[in-house]
């Protein structure tokens, strides 16, 4: 009798382990991208027998809901997707799972280094990177037939095309935007937090060093010395001039390509050239988005399998076709090499630096953005004084 009971117990455990799992995925995607995710969930379900429920959650609510609700059983199994600069705060709250034991071998080697770096926090890989974005110089091929690759050629092209009395311009950018202009700051040797072998030292701020001062001087020169960027120009005004055919080149990201295509502008995408006297190449901020798993999930193995399924190159190619996102899958990028957006911004992404993913970055944006704004608001300002004040405020906020 005892043997029969034991046999039944073993059988019951075996059947229970073979039962299909239900995976819940939160997403902020809409339209074709949401359809891609739903279709992928159906395909994965048919292949594995597991059920994947896709739940739409507003982008701005995801982080707070996860941090407040995961430990109470109110979170999903996976989120598709979060920006990597949320990662530090979510990892510190203990709500995201270390994916290092799941993303290995070929799956890991297919992900570009910038993606892995962005989703690594305190030495652990806390997500599966899917796509990235960075700014670049988009140019009108009718006005700029050949992309200028040196600063001297860039300046000559921009100056030749600039004629404010006729409403035409060679180059425009939002000079007050710290995110957009980080590539210049990095080129001169500025940085946010010192990167020591993959670990960010939040006590070592580089936005007030000598290189950062030179970068502010250069951005100021674009307005007051070279007279390329008039006061009051922001990203929207620059885009409007470009789609109207009045602008040769402007600094932007993939988010503006849809409007450029609608305007039927024959465009190209290139990196900003190395600024004069810079110690390094222009290296813009890179934002990466990826999948994260709830550390309180009861279906971790199945959720990890679905995450890897979504990150396969074939799936990522379909994702690109749905929304135009630029993949960090090496195989997918190779297959999409003829796409000018993937090729163009893919190059600037590869040149770039992931935004810091530590919680302390929240203390940086305000003071640093204000410093960049003040440094480009009029000629002859004291860049050192402005940046020193920003550093002092940031350090005070971090404490």
């Amino acid at each position: 009798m005892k043997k029969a009971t034991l046999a039944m117990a073993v059988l019951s455990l075996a059947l229970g382990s073979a039962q299909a799992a239900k995976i819940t995925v939160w997403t902020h995607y809409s339209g074709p991208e949401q359809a891609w995710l739903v279709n992928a969930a159906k395909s994965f379900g048919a292949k594995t027998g597991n059920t994947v429920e896709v739940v739409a959650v507003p982008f701005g609510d995801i982080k707070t809901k996860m941090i407040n609700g995961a430990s109470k059983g109110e979170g999903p199994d996976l989120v598709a997707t979060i920006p990597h600069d949320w990662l530090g705060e979510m990892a510190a709250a203990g709500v995201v799972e270390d994916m290092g034991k799941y993303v290995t071998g070929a799956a890991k080697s297919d992900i570009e280094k910038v993606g892995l770096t962005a989703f690594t926090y305190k030495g652990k890989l806390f997500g599966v990177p899917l796509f990235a974005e960075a700014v670049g110089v988009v140019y009108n091929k009718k006005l700029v037939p050949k992309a200028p690759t040196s600063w001297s050629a860039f300046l000559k092209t921009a100056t030749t095309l600039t004629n404010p009395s006729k409403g035409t311009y060679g180059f425009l950018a939002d000079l007050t935007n710290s995110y957009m202009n980080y590539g210049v700051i990095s080129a001169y040797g500025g940085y946010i937090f010192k990167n020591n072998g993959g670990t960010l030292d939040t006590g070592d701020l580089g936005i007030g060093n000598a290189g950062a001062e030179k970068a502010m001087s250069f951005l100021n020169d674009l307005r007051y010395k070279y007279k390329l960027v008039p006061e009051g120009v922001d990203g929207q005004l620059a885009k409007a001039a470009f789609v109207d055919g009045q602008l040769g080149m402007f600094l932007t990201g993939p988010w503006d390509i849809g409007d450029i295509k609608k305007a039927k502008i024959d465009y190209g995408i290139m990196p900003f050239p190395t600024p004069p006297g810079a110690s390094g190449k222009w290296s813009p901020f890179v934002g990466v988005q990826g999948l994260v798993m709830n550390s309180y999930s009861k279906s971790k193995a199945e959720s990890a399998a679905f995450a890897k399924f979504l990150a396969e190159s074939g799936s990522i190619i379909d994702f690109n076709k749905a929304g135009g996102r630029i993949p960090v899958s090496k195989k997918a990028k190779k297959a999409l090499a003829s796409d000018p957006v993937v090729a163009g911004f893919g190059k600037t992404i590869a040149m770039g630096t992931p935004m810091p993913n530590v919680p302390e970055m929240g203390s940086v944006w305000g003071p640093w953005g204000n410093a960049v704004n003040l440094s480009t608001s009029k000629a002859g300002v004291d860049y050192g004084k402005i940046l020193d004040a920003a550093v002092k405020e940031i350090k005070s906020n971090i404490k």
Side-chain angles (χ1 to χ4, degrees), residues 38 44 46 50 59 88 99 174 244 251 339 366 369 399:
V38 170
F44 180 77
N50 297 313
F59 179 76
M99 299 292 285
D174 184 352
D244 286 343
L251 189 69
D339 183 323
K399 289 180 182 179

Side-chain angles (χ1 to χ4, degrees), residues 28-251:
H28 56 87
Y29 297 157
S30 60
E33 290 185 332
Q34 187 182 75
W36 165 81
L37 182 58
V38 170
N39 289 335
K42 291 178 181 177
S43 297
F44 180 77
K47 180 180 179 180
T48 64
N50 297 313
T51 301
V52 181
E53 180 186 15
V54 176
V55 179
V57 178
F59 179 76
D61 294 345
I62 288 176
K63 181 171 66 173
T64 301
K65 283 179 175 289
M66 275 285 287
I67 290 174
N68 293 338
S71 64
K72 303 172 186 177
E74 298 171 357
D77 295 288
L78 286 173
V79 179
T81 52
I82 70 158
H84 81 272
D85 53 320
W86 289 5
L87 200 63
E89 186 177 352
M90 295 178 77
V95 298
V96 287
E97 180 76 2
D98 177 4
M99 299 292 285
K101 58 182 173 289
Y102 301 108
V103 184
T104 59
K108 186 175 182 179
S109 64
D110 185 48
I111 301 171
E112 289 189 320
K113 182 180 178 180
V114 69
L116 295 173
T117 300
F119 269 82
T120 298
Y121 178 71
K122 292 189 175 180
K124 296 180 179 179
L125 183 67
F126 279 102
V128 183
L130 292 189
F131 63 88
E133 62 184 21
V135 299
V137 177
V138 180
Y139 61 98
N140 184 331
K141 291 184 177 180
K142 182 178 179 180
L143 302 175
V144 185
K146 183 180 179 181
T149 57
S150 67
W151 167 246
S152 59
F154 185 94
L155 179 60
K156 181 178 179 180
T157 299
T159 302
T160 301
L161 291 172
T162 299
N163 189 337
S165 63
K166 293 183 178 180
T168 59
Y169 297 91
F171 173 72
L172 293 177
D174 184 352
L175 298 180
T176 68
N177 189 311
S178 54
Y179 166 85
M180 295 289 289
N181 293 293
Y182 179 77
V184 168
I185 294 164
S186 179
Y188 283 103
Y191 53 87
I192 306 299
F193 300 121
K194 187 70 173 179
N195 191 323
N196 294 321
T199 299
L200 296 177
D201 182 354
T202 57
D204 186 343
L205 281 161
I207 64 168
N209 65 15
E213 287 189 42
K214 291 179 181 178
M216 293 303 102
S217 177
F218 173 74
L219 292 175
N220 190 283
D221 283 348
L222 289 175
R223 173 163 289 156
Y224 298 106
K225 178 180 178 180
Y226 303 120
K227 301 189 183 303
L228 295 177
V229 185
E231 293 180 31
V233 169
D234 60 12
Q236 290 301 311
L237 285 173
K239 181 177 73 172
F242 192 82
V243 298
D244 286 343
Q246 297 174 298
L247 173 62
M249 303 175 287
F250 83 120
L251 189 69

Side-chain angles (χ1 to χ4, degrees), residues 264-280:
K264 297 182 179 179
I265 301 291
D266 185 12
Y267 67 92
I269 303 166
M270 66 181 184
F272 191 85
T274 300
S279 57

